[in-house]
Amino acid sequence: MATNNSVTNQDTHFFADVCSNFDFAAQFTKHDAGLLDQIKSCNSVYRFRFPIRRGNGFEVIDAWRVEHSQHQSPTKGGIRYSEMVNEDEVMALAALMTYKCAIVNVPFGGAKGGIKINPKNYTVQELENITRRYTVELIKKNFIGPSIDVPAPDYGSGEREMSWIADTYATMNPGQLDAMGAVTGKPIALHGIAGRREATGRGVAIATRECVSIGEDMQKIGLTQGISGKKVIVQGLGNVGYYSAKFLSEFGALIVGLCEFEGAIYNADGLDIEAVFQHRKATGSILGYAGAKQEFKNTLEGLEQPCDILVPAALENQITVANIKNIKAKIIVEGANGPTSPEAEAIFHEMGGIVVPDMYANAGGVTVSYFEWLKNLSHVAFGRINRRFEENSNLNLVNMVEGITGLALTPLQRATIVKGATELELVNSGLEDTMIRSYHEIRETYKSINKIDGMRTAALVGVINKIAVSYQNLGIWP
């Protein structure tokens, strides 16, 4: 049974939107047209189909892998499992991955994959067959490998699928020492890394916290400085949305609204994110949660409720010209890829709002994927070699200070000071440093070019300049 390959004009605008943003930013750079075209274009687009057995018959699966840029190697990007996925979307997401990696100074080119299925319609065995066959197709065309192209989870996929990919690649490449580095987002038991699952959401929360920490910027939009007490609405209670809300709450923000495909809930006094999550797990819906004071059957209506910060962390094209003027938030932090249309963003800027762009805000995932890749290539967990040495050094220092001062620390104080960093603590530290440095890098570009309207353009200007330098240094051969 073949799938329907028809794609409407409405489905083919995402890559055009990404290119439109790129072209607008390019006018603030001084690179020639040919180089700009090379940076913007997708280098390789691999579209393929393969059959699987279903019952007594066959089904043909459509799939893609796009490598957008090889200015750095390997390329990097997730694999989306969705019946809505199409070539345009995969190309757009691959381009965003290139820009995302450049923004956070991760040495990867951008890539993306897509398998046109609804995972809910398949058994675990069928999903494994699809994933392994997809991986074999990539191997046949040299579209996967630790130094070539490294997939990761995306919408509809997770640690389980990455395990299947890793095993298939290792089986097809016997004796390859770095085989586990061919894919990231693996479970820790299969050479994954602590903190990867929550990395994107943690990165979104850090980006939000950093944005509101700058008093000068907050004064312009009528907000106080700091994350404490800020009212936040989060769209999406999947991996990114859940962890974004969780960490924002831990940072001191007040989660007042949550939106999912079945509807939205709101409480100006705050929602308990964990309680909502458990309620949805038990009932299949966020609606009916006892702590909500308002419910909306239309999930988009939930985005329009009073708040300071809106975090769309679901799918693309959620905020458009149709609803942007109803958005009451002063800041939009894009947890998802492409949730705000270019037209809506322009209107939001005119309204005096700030958009923290997706290519920066949700870069936490690829940042920690980079750490996982490094771990796989080095074949040693972070902190394993030096942790005990650090603890002994810290203990000697504490003993010396106590001996000189005559003061004795409590057991808890000693344990806190002496303790060496775990892998998770090192990963979170590296992620936080990356997100903070990158935000201020974008902001400096924004401030230095007065004509730039918005952080997305500022981020892309920095991206274009970085990638242009890479291509110029590489040269062209032959």
Side-chain angles (χ1 to χ4, degrees):
M1 180 178 69
T3 54
N4 184 358
N5 291 318
S6 63
V7 178
T8 66
N9 290 332
Q10 189 177 2
D11 293 329
T12 59
H13 65 85
F14 192 9
F15 185 60
D17 286 350
V18 173
C19 290
S20 176
N21 289 330
F22 180 96
D23 290 338
F24 184 76
Q27 67 182 308
F28 301 107
T29 69
K30 297 179 180 179
H31 307 293
D32 68 74
L35 180 55
L36 291 172
D37 188 46
Q38 171 61 41
I39 297 171
K40 179 172 66 173
S41 302
C42 291
N43 287 353
S44 304
V45 180
Y46 179 29
R47 181 190 183 281
F48 53 101
R49 311 182 82 206
F50 56 84
I52 63 162
R53 289 188 182 275
R54 294 202 79 183
N56 296 323
F58 294 88
E59 180 176 338
V60 177
I61 306 294
D62 287 284
W64 295 266
R65 186 69 182 174
V66 174
E67 294 175 352
H68 175 261
S69 175
Q70 274 97 0
H71 74 284
Q72 299 273 10
S73 289
T75 53
K76 186 86 184 73
I79 303 171
R80 180 163 290 196
Y81 289 50
S82 169
E83 57 189 347
M84 304 301 292
V85 76
N86 58 62
E87 189 169 303
D88 176 81
E89 180 182 42
V90 179
M91 290 172 65
L93 294 171
L96 286 173
M97 279 300 301
T98 293
Y99 308 151
K100 191 179 298 185
C101 291
I103 286 169
V104 293
N105 299 302
V106 167
F108 291 139
K112 207 73 178 184
I115 303 177
K116 196 177 182 69
I117 61 169
N118 181 347
K120 294 178 181 178
N121 296 337
Y122 296 82
T123 66
V124 172
Q125 184 59 59
E126 288 169 341
L127 284 172
E128 182 174 354
N129 292 343
I130 291 169
T131 303
R132 290 183 183 274
R133 179 60 185 268
Y134 177 85
T135 306
V136 170
E137 294 296 328
L138 297 184
I139 293 169
K140 284 159 59 176
K141 297 294 184 181
N142 209 28
F143 264 71
I144 185 173
S147 62
I148 299 166
D149 188 353
V150 182
D154 195 79
Y155 183 81
S157 62
E159 292 180 352
R160 180 184 64 183
E161 288 76 16
M162 300 309 108
S163 296
W164 293 334
I165 292 172
D167 180 65
T168 306
Y169 183 83
T171 301
M172 297 290 288
N173 293 272
Q176 186 176 123
L177 186 63
D178 296 329
M180 288 297 132
V183 61
T184 62
K186 305 180 294 295
I188 293 177
L190 198 67
H191 307 281
I193 194 167
R196 173 61 183 85
R197 183 181 301 170
E198 62 268 30
T200 305
R202 184 183 287 275
V204 170
I206 294 169
T208 307
R209 186 188 65 189
E210 204 58 27
C211 175
V212 300
S213 71
I214 301 171
E216 176 188 352
D217 296 349
M218 293 304 98
Q219 188 176 7
K220 289 178 182 177
I221 62 174
L223 292 179
T224 57
Q225 183 179 358
I227 192 68
S228 181
K230 291 290 186 297
K231 294 187 174 182
V232 181
I233 292 176
V234 177
Q235 183 194 31
L237 205 56
N239 185 59
V240 179
Y242 169 74
Y243 283 112
S244 296
K246 172 181 166 63
F247 293 123
L248 281 169
S249 181
E250 289 181 8
F251 291 162
L254 196 65
I255 308 301
V256 296
L258 291 167
C259 311
E260 256 295 348
F261 70 89
E262 68 268 11
I265 57 175
Y266 183 84
N267 184 343
D269 297 324
L271 296 166
D272 184 330
I273 178 68
E274 191 59 38
V276 175
F277 182 79
Q278 293 302 327
H279 171 79
R280 187 169 192 254
K281 193 174 180 181
T283 67
S285 173
I286 62 173
L287 300 178
Y289 172 64
K293 291 187 176 178
Q294 289 178 273
E295 286 190 354
F296 308 94
K297 291 289 181 68
N298 181 355
T299 184
L300 293 180
E301 197 174 346
L303 304 180
E304 301 172 1
Q305 303 311 304
C307 67
D308 301 313
I309 302 164
L310 175 61
V311 181
L315 293 172
E316 61 266 11
N317 209 37
Q318 299 297 295
I319 302 170
T320 65
V321 291
N323 64 354
I324 186 62
K325 291 189 177 179
N326 297 328
I327 300 296
K328 298 177 179 62
K330 299 291 182 70
I331 303 170
I332 296 174
V333 182
E334 296 183 324
N337 288 311
T340 312
S341 74
E343 298 81 7
E345 184 172 359
I347 294 170
F348 193 65
H349 287 150
E350 291 173 5
M351 293 164 60
I354 295 174
V355 176
V356 181
D358 51 4
M359 63 186 78
Y360 158 70
N362 63 27
V366 74
T367 300
V368 177
S369 279
Y370 171 52
F371 299 158
E372 181 180 339
W373 181 73
L374 291 175
K375 176 183 177 180
N376 294 155
L377 297 188
S378 64
H379 302 277
V380 62
F382 291 112
R384 177 170 183 174
I385 292 176
N386 60 339
R387 183 180 176 187
R388 189 62 61 189
F389 175 81
E390 287 180 0
E391 290 184 352
N392 288 333
S393 297
N394 293 340
L395 179 60
N396 290 335
L397 182 61
V398 167
N399 289 337
M400 182 181 71
V401 171
E402 286 184 331
I404 293 173
T405 63
L407 298 173
L409 297 175
T410 66
L412 179 60
Q413 290 172 331
R414 286 175 66 89
T416 302
I417 295 172
V418 168
K419 181 174 122 13
T422 64
E423 179 175 84
L424 178 60
E425 289 168 333
L426 290 169
V427 165
N428 288 342
S429 173
L431 171 59
E432 185 170 12
D433 182 66
T434 298
M435 298 303 295
I436 291 172
R437 284 174 179 268
S438 299
Y439 185 84
H440 290 282
E441 193 175 288
I442 295 167
R443 186 172 179 271
E444 285 305 311
T445 303
Y446 176 68
K447 288 176 63 181
S448 67
I449 306 176
N450 294 328
K451 294 180 181 179
I452 287 182
D453 185 15
M455 293 191 68
R456 190 185 314 278
T457 302
L460 277 170
V461 168
V463 162
I464 292 168
N465 289 332
K466 288 177 184 178
I467 299 176
V469 168
S470 291
Y471 274 125
Q472 287 166 339
N473 288 340
L474 287 170
I476 299 175
W477 184 88

